[in-house]
Structures are given as structure tokens and as C-alpha cells.
Amino acid sequence: MNTPDFNRRSFVKLSLAAGAVAAAPTAFAQDKPAFALPALPYQPTDLEPHIDAKTMEIHHGKHHGAYVTNANAAIAANPALQGKTLESIVGGLPAIADEAVRTILRNNAGGHWNHAFFWDIMAPAGKGGEAGDKLTAAIKAEFGSMDEFKKLFGEAAAKRFGSGWAWLIVQDGKLKITSTPNQDNPLMKGIVPASDLGTPILGLDVWEHAYYLHYQNRRADYVTAWWNVVNWSEVAKRYLNA
Ligand code: MN
């Protein structure tokens, strides 16, 4: 990755070559990648034995890393997209006229958003805190009990054919379980069905890359184990903010 110093030197050199006068720092802001791969909020080993370290390393460093790289390349090549937040790109895909660019960002800005979210709503087993009174009450009101909610969410994760995500969203003030294919998510207005739109507060990656090294074809075992590493404090925070 280019250091700011390198960018600055390159810019100054180019400016001098073109006979330009000194410019404000914002003049070379677009040399900077739009997005950066966030650090994991724990060590890759910390979710073991439920999610193994090798899976976490590859999933974060390689898969999530590639989504960030690909999204950045598409944005660097399309000046109209520069300076936009990740949320505005993910929530404003239909406004991108070029279908190829829209597809790249649907998959890769979507992938970046989904994975950054996913790391944050997990925590080492025993350190994920509690759902708290308000979220627990809302889950009971909507699904009957926490166990029933987990069963229904697990079914959504199991039924998602191929690659995708299961979600718990807040939609019109109510909790709802949904799922999306590939790297689509409930923020993608005009892309996913309106019935699946909302504010995600919990999400589970059911792509094989999320579990295959340890669980192979046993997606249901992965889902069952994953409940041990849900960061309920973070999910509750997102519920209260939704
Ligand atoms: Mn993934």
C-alpha cells in the first residue's frame, strides 16, 4: 500500500511536471483507497473451538481482503463514486448506471459491509455478554422464546441454497428473520426484495468459506456452534440504535 509520503511525493512530482502550483491536501485524496480492511476485534484463535483460527485468518485476510481490494479498484476507476460512504454505496446501488460497476460493488462493497459487520457481532465464547432486557423481550414477543428464535434463524441459514447470509433485521420497528444470496444484504434498496429490507442487527455468513475447513458439509453444526460466539451485547446495541 502507498504511504501518504509516497503519495505526496508522487503528487508533487506530477504537479511540478505539469507546472501546477501547490494544491490543498484534498487534491490527492482520491489516491487513497476508499476503504481499508478493518482489524479483527479479537485474535483469530479466540473463537476456537467453534470457529478455527485458520478459517478466521483466511476468511478475514483473504476473502474480506479481496472484497475491499475489488471495491477500492472499482471506486478508483469511477470518480462519481469517490468520497461516498460504504453505507451510501451499498444502499444506493440502483443509482450506479453502469451494470458491470454496479455488480462489482454489489458483490464487493456488499462483501466488505457484511464481513465488517460479521466480525463485530462475534466475540470469544463467554465474552459476548447478554442480549439485555429490551432485545430479549422483543425476541420473545416476535418468536415466542430465545430457543424458538434460534431454531427459526438456523432454519433460514440452512435453507439458504449455496452462498449467502441469514439475518435478524429490524423492519418497521419489528424483528424479522431474513436471508440473502451471495453478498447481498438487507440494506440493498432496489436490489433485494422489499420484504427483506431493514436494519441488520445479527447476521451469519453461510458461505462454505466460513466453515468448510472445520465443518466440511455440516453447515448445521457450524450454525449450532456459532451461537457460542455471538456478541449479544453488540447485537443489543445495534437493536437499540435501529
Ligand atoms: Mn464470508
Side-chain angles (χ1 to χ4, degrees):
M1 196 190 286
N2 289 340
T3 64
D5 276 342
F6 177 85
N7 282 339
R8 185 151 211 291
R9 272 202 303 278
S10 306
F11 176 78
V12 169
K13 209 192 294 177
L14 286 169
S15 300
L16 291 174
V21 293
T26 48
F28 47 91
Q30 68 188 38
D31 290 348
K32 222 181 85 194
F35 305 122
L37 179 65
L40 286 174
Y42 32 73
Q43 295 302 307
T45 48
D46 286 349
L47 304 187
E48 290 193 337
H50 310 294
I51 302 179
D52 64 285
K54 193 76 184 164
T55 294
M56 287 301 295
E57 282 166 8
I58 296 169
H59 198 179
H60 173 256
K62 305 295 183 188
H63 291 277
H64 188 176
Y67 300 131
V68 171
T69 300
N70 294 339
N72 284 343
I75 291 164
N78 290 277
L81 297 170
Q82 285 158 15
K84 288 188 182 294
T85 64
L86 180 58
E87 283 72 18
S88 72
I89 288 174
V90 167
L93 289 167
I96 301 173
D98 186 312
E99 190 184 346
V101 175
R102 186 167 68 244
T103 300
I104 289 169
L105 290 170
R106 177 179 178 174
N107 291 331
N108 292 282
H112 176 32
W113 193 95
N114 293 347
H115 287 81
F117 173 87
F118 188 49
W119 313 135
D120 280 351
I121 56 89
M122 295 193 290
K127 295 191 177 164
E130 304 289 335
D133 293 347
K134 285 188 175 156
L135 176 56
T136 301
I139 286 173
K140 281 183 182 160
E142 197 57 45
F143 307 108
S145 68
M146 183 60 98
D147 283 347
E148 186 63 14
F149 159 66
K150 287 182 177 177
K151 189 180 131 229
L152 295 170
F153 187 94
E155 284 171 8
K159 276 193 276 192
R160 168 49 54 196
F161 184 76
S163 298
W165 293 74
W167 304 98
L168 176 64
I169 64 172
V170 178
Q171 183 187 72
D172 302 326
K174 285 178 68 179
L175 293 176
K176 184 173 183 179
I177 295 167
T178 64
S179 90
T180 55
N182 304 311
Q183 297 299 353
D184 288 357
N185 71 39
L187 301 174
M188 291 184 176
K189 295 187 199 83
I191 300 286
V192 306
S195 56
D196 291 338
L197 290 174
T199 304
I201 63 168
L202 179 69
L204 173 58
D205 188 344
V206 294
W207 283 58
E208 284 187 346
H209 70 220
Y211 63 87
Y212 206 85
L213 288 182
H214 186 69
Y215 294 96
Q216 291 84 47
N217 60 315
R218 293 171 285 115
R219 185 189 286 186
D221 291 353
Y222 158 66
V223 175
T224 301
W226 175 74
W227 291 115
N228 292 296
V229 294
V230 169
N231 186 341
W232 281 109
S233 310
E234 185 63 30
V235 178
K237 196 174 93 191
R238 286 162 188 269
Y239 173 69
L240 295 176
N241 288 337

